Amino acid sequence: YDVFGKDDILTGPVGASDGGIGLMVGRRFSNRFQLGVQFVFIRHLIKDREDKLINFEFMLTGTVFFLPQSQWRPFLRGGVGGAGIFFDWAADDRLVASLGVATVAGGGIQFHLSRSFALELETTSTFANFFEVQDSSLADESWQVRTSNYGWRVGLGLILWF
């Protein structure tokens, strides 16, 4: 795991099952299509370290629903936006951030309990291409990187329509 492009900054394995939270705000344009803005925050556990590795994503997403009149509604979702990986050293006040563009693709199913409430289960793949790193311990210094990060995640959510 290396998204910072320098030898003295974290490389190594992160946890296989980390925790996070997300929020999507969107609008349905029909029974079959929804456009949304998605925010995701994930804290990664690093093997044998106290430091924190935090992943943040913000994306514009599109969702296509199948069987729109059914109580069980499968869907496909894709999106594009930005991503950041933030590494916070426990030993000092150093914060290193790697920033770039990201895409998401996946699918899932919604179970509609009523007209305005549903449960959602989704599995998505994320790909981020990082291009700039900023280091708080170095005054006004940033550097260019060309590195990528790829991963999968599973989410369970509550859907409310107003």
Side-chain angles (χ1 to χ4, degrees):
Y1 197 91
D2 176 16
V3 295
F4 301 110
K6 284 199 173 180
D7 293 336
D8 67 331
I9 300 177
L10 172 74
T11 60
V14 297
S17 59
D18 302 324
I21 189 167
L23 173 70
M24 181 186 293
V25 178
R27 182 174 193 285
R28 273 207 171 163
F29 292 96
S30 70
N31 284 340
R32 292 196 178 269
F33 184 71
Q34 171 183 305
L35 193 61
V37 177
Q38 175 178 310
F39 302 93
V40 177
F41 174 86
I42 302 168
R43 182 175 184 269
H44 298 280
L45 302 176
I46 305 168
K47 186 177 180 178
D48 301 326
R49 294 187 71 130
E50 296 285 328
D51 307 308
K52 297 175 187 171
L53 187 67
I54 296 169
N55 176 247
F56 180 81
E57 298 168 4
F58 53 95
M59 307 223 184
L60 178 63
T61 62
T63 305
V64 176
F65 294 95
F66 303 96
L67 306 173
Q69 303 304 323
S70 172
Q71 189 172 10
W72 293 91
R73 297 181 191 170
F75 64 87
L76 293 176
R77 180 171 290 149
V80 64
I85 298 277
F86 303 92
F87 181 57
D88 189 5
W89 262 271
D92 57 24
D93 289 334
R94 187 177 182 190
L95 177 68
V96 180
S98 189
L99 307 170
V101 295
T103 60
V104 64
I109 192 160
Q110 289 182 354
F111 177 67
H112 289 253
L113 300 170
S114 71
R115 184 169 170 82
S116 60
F117 184 73
L119 298 175
E120 179 177 288
L121 176 65
E122 76 167 346
T123 300
T124 57
S125 154
T126 59
F127 177 80
N129 190 20
F130 297 101
F131 55 84
E132 182 179 14
V133 177
Q134 297 180 346
D135 189 340
S136 68
S137 70
L138 306 171
D140 298 324
E141 183 173 331
S142 67
W143 59 91
Q144 302 296 311
V145 293
R146 290 187 181 178
T147 186
S148 300
N149 180 12
Y150 175 78
W152 283 92
R153 69 172 170 251
V154 175
L156 179 63
L158 302 172
I159 309 295
L160 299 171
W161 286 277
F162 300 98

